[in-house]
Amino acid sequence: MTAATDISKTPLQYVIVTLDKCSRTYGNAPCTAAKAAGSECYNTYPTCQDRANFNRTTQDYYFIDSFCKLPFLDGSSNVINVRPYIKDISYQPTEIKDSLTINSRCTITLFDEPDGDVGIDPYAPRYEIMVAGTTVSTPPDMSVGSATFISDTADLAPYVGTDAERFYRLRAIDNTGKQAYGYIHESAGGGAVKIADTILGVPTRAWLYIEDGFDKDNVAHYLVESIDIYAPGTFWKKLLARNANYKGRTVKIYNGLLGQNASQFTQKFVGAIDNVKISKGSVAIEVVDLLKSLSKIDIPPKLNLKLAADITAADLSITLDASAADFAKLDSPAGYIRIGDEIIYYTATNSTTKIVSSCTRGYFSTTAATHSASDKVQKVKYYAPANPFDILSDELLPTDCAIAAGYIDSANFDTERDSPGGEVNFSAIISEPTKADKLFFEIVELLNCRAWVGEDLKITIRRALPNKPGRVYSTLTDEANNIDGSLSVDLNQTSRISRVSLYWDRQTVEDEDKPASYNRLDVAIDADGESANGYNEAAEKIIYCRWLRQGYVTEETMNAFAANAASRIVSGNKDPMPILTLDLEMKDGAVKTGDYAKISTGAMQDASGNDLSSAVFQVVRRERKGNKINLKCLMLPTKKYCIVSPASYSAKSYATATAAEREYGAICNANGDMSNGDYGYRAW
């Protein structure tokens, strides 16, 4: 355990970049690659010479702030092979929107430097550097004071040992002043120090420095001889060239303090690489959060599948022209394919013959037809009827998008599913590749919810309700919390919706964005808001819904839900929802993105000139700016939903109910208000 006296108050961050790696060994079965030594691959797919036998695993690359003194240890005091390359990390926070959240992202800027392929090239030769056994003076070109140099390899034991791997940065300077860098991370033995790096190009002698970080604090420095070969290139330029498929690969960021080991750090961010920019001496890696990564995923995937021969409308066994890799991506043994305007259900596959068989033709109300050789075959994704919250958390995110369970707030998906409830099962037939984020937010919007990546790094969801039993509120007031002069208000007129046209019950293979492709239409209208005495204009939202269709629940139930869904969107958005921006002191930093707050402020007033009092807002954006927390808060509708309360509440009146009890609702008067003048409730 790290002693308290060893820990500073200096913030420290490290990054793990996870890239693909092949588990095979070059030239060893089943790998058939056979080029001469020095021409091997780098165990990455872009450099693979036998792609049919590429076996994808992953490799983690560790980076830490450049000022960190090495070695950097894990929780068991083992040395982590971490490179002190981090120059800067900047963040852009998430912002919650109704239909498509603005994703958080960060840019990681890292130093680049000459490198000899330690941990990158698995087939690079290992070179020995012989250490001179004489006592000499300090090298003339370095102001480090006098020193005594090692007389044998035992003097390197603090830095290179047989019991535990050590990892120290090396810098070598030859007699011409040329420099290069490397890392010790092997053991000493046989009268020589083994290092897994090439330093310089055939100098007669060189100065070797063992350093503990980019600040160049020298642990020791030695006169060395017998340095053999020079490996060209820099770390990042080579790594990116060998891993050209870096986009979408995972990056994790951890925060801690200088002197702590890795197990004491807290994960700050997880995301996927979106882009990399190379400039002189550095690279900038742009990383987006997990929701953004959904925009890179097609459901179902794009596959190169074709018919190998003509088929009739009666054929129940179909041979495909496909690569082994693409055929393997079909659901097996049972699944669905689309050919032309026909969807076919099969219950058996043969990966050797590329045959799908035991077929049912003309599935999902399509028509069996003849098809010709070379006709396109498309995998079909069928979401069987299920609760929409379960489709998101149990199927779309973890299965179709490969989001790890630890990054899905399953408990909150379940909570929002169960209360207040009332949804029908959703189902969809996806017969053309569609971006996963489009499917995800189609469901979120239809549920009148908002979804984002929380500050606990989990994808979460909340219903867009002004009240909800059990909800926790922060209290923010001008007197106690809001920093004077920081508040501003956007009346947000564009948030108003006066009518929703919900097209649903889609014809299976018709275009998704054409009204004629749908059999049903529900329209909800705020006629008063559209009138000349109201806002005097219509603000329409059109929803093309693939997730509701007739046939798997009763017609009456589906009709009622569709009408209700459209009505709820209008009722919750018929008036503009102002956005309040304010700054808080660090003492109030516990307020997070997505949290709810009751805000009292003079920045907004009612028609009588009274300051806003305990109005309900949702925090849609949170950003730390220096020693302040900047919040962007969306005001929620004042009219609440009435939600069925526990039996124990039946004898209570609104006047005597607590704030928590009022989250359920009560009977309104004839004007739709409460006895004390509060806004009333609408039925859920």
Side-chain angles (χ1 to χ4, degrees), residues 286-528:
E286 298 172 3
V287 185
V288 296
D289 71 22
L290 295 176
L291 274 182
K292 177 64 176 177
S293 68
L294 270 57
S295 67
K296 314 298 181 184
I297 299 171
D298 287 309
I299 301 175
K302 296 176 181 176
L303 304 175
N304 187 16
L305 305 173
K306 299 176 183 178
L307 282 179
D310 296 349
I311 60 171
T312 70
D315 285 335
L316 304 182
S317 182
I318 301 171
T319 303
L320 302 185
D321 178 6
S323 68
D326 279 351
F327 190 87
K329 292 177 183 177
L330 289 175
D331 293 325
S332 181
Y336 306 85
I337 56 174
R338 174 180 173 177
I339 308 173
D341 288 338
E342 180 188 0
I343 292 180
I344 300 167
Y345 174 60
Y346 60 85
T347 59
T349 62
N350 187 312
S351 59
T352 302
T353 60
K354 309 296 192 303
I355 291 175
V356 297
S357 56
S358 300
C359 296
T360 302
R361 303 293 300 274
Y363 218 75
F364 294 129
S365 301
T366 61
T367 301
T370 60
H371 303 286
S372 302
S374 298
D375 279 358
K376 172 188 170 184
V377 178
Q378 173 61 53
K379 178 181 178 179
V380 174
K381 171 65 181 183
Y382 172 50
Y383 288 97
N387 185 280
F389 289 94
D390 293 338
I391 289 176
L392 293 175
S393 64
D394 297 345
E395 185 170 5
L396 195 152
L397 290 175
T399 302
D400 299 329
C401 300
I403 302 293
Y407 294 120
I408 302 171
D409 188 358
S410 297
N412 210 56
F413 277 89
D414 291 348
T415 297
E416 297 301 314
R417 175 198 64 201
D418 297 339
S419 175
E423 283 74 35
V424 297
N425 285 342
F426 284 19
S427 178
I429 303 154
I430 318 297
S431 63
E432 288 291 341
T434 305
K435 295 302 181 185
D437 63 334
K438 178 176 175 63
L439 298 176
F440 180 87
F441 282 104
E442 282 177 355
I443 296 177
V444 170
E445 179 180 55
L446 196 59
L447 294 172
N448 199 20
C449 288
R450 299 185 179 105
W452 68 97
V453 176
E455 282 154 85
D456 60 357
L457 307 181
K458 295 182 179 182
I459 298 174
T460 192
I461 193 169
R462 301 269 176 86
R463 293 182 188 265
L465 299 178
N467 61 299
K468 190 170 188 292
R471 179 183 288 171
V472 176
Y473 296 91
S474 299
T475 299
L476 301 177
T477 68
D478 287 351
E479 293 75 19
N481 314 98
N482 310 331
I483 295 178
D484 187 38
S486 70
L487 289 87
S488 64
V489 181
D490 175 1
L491 294 179
N492 196 22
Q493 285 288 328
T494 58
S495 65
R496 174 178 160 266
I497 299 173
S498 68
R499 65 173 61 198
V500 168
S501 297
L502 175 60
Y503 293 89
W504 60 283
D505 194 23
R506 179 187 171 202
Q507 298 165 34
T508 305
V509 294
E510 298 298 325
D511 293 341
E512 66 185 64
D513 56 354
K514 292 182 178 180
S517 301
Y518 297 83
N519 298 317
R520 302 297 179 99
L521 169 64
D522 275 275
V523 180
I525 302 175
D526 173 24
D528 185 58

Side-chain angles (χ1 to χ4, degrees), residues 137-144 207 209:
S137 61
T138 301
D141 58 332
M142 297 297 293
S143 301
V144 295
W207 295 102
Y209 293 84

Side-chain angles (χ1 to χ4, degrees), residues 88-250:
D88 178 68
I89 301 179
S90 60
Y91 294 90
Q92 175 185 318
T94 191
E95 183 171 342
I96 302 170
K97 296 284 189 179
D98 284 334
S99 58
L100 190 62
T101 293
I102 296 175
N103 308 104
S104 63
R105 60 192 303 127
C106 70
T107 300
I108 308 169
T109 305
L110 303 107
F111 291 105
D112 197 12
E113 66 174 351
D115 183 82
D117 285 345
V118 177
I120 305 175
D121 183 358
Y123 309 110
R126 305 296 187 181
Y127 302 104
E128 292 188 351
I129 296 181
M130 302 302 297
V131 182
T134 57
T135 300
V136 296
S137 61
T138 301
D141 58 332
M142 297 297 293
S143 301
V144 295
S146 60
T148 301
F149 291 81
I150 63 172
S151 58
D152 58 53
T153 57
D155 290 342
L156 280 180
Y159 317 113
V160 185
T162 56
D163 295 334
E165 243 187 359
R166 299 290 180 181
F167 195 70
Y168 280 83
R169 188 172 184 274
L170 304 179
R171 181 162 54 91
I173 305 176
D174 68 12
N175 57 347
T176 68
K178 185 176 180 181
Q179 298 189 42
Y181 300 89
Y183 292 86
I184 288 179
H185 74 152
E186 288 194 355
S187 60
V193 178
K194 296 182 179 179
I195 67 168
D197 206 292
T198 300
I199 303 296
L200 297 171
V202 200
T204 54
R205 23 172 60 181
W207 295 102
L208 174 64
Y209 293 84
I210 300 181
E211 302 175 337
D212 63 2
F214 248 94
D215 56 359
K216 298 180 175 60
D217 288 342
N218 295 313
V219 176
H221 45 274
Y222 313 110
L223 179 68
V224 298
E225 297 175 346
S226 304
I227 302 177
D228 296 319
I229 303 171
Y230 173 61
T234 65
F235 176 85
W236 279 109
K237 290 176 184 176
K238 289 190 288 188
L239 186 68
L240 293 170
R242 297 163 183 174
N243 294 272
N245 56 342
Y246 59 78
K247 189 167 185 176
R249 293 345 186 231
T250 302

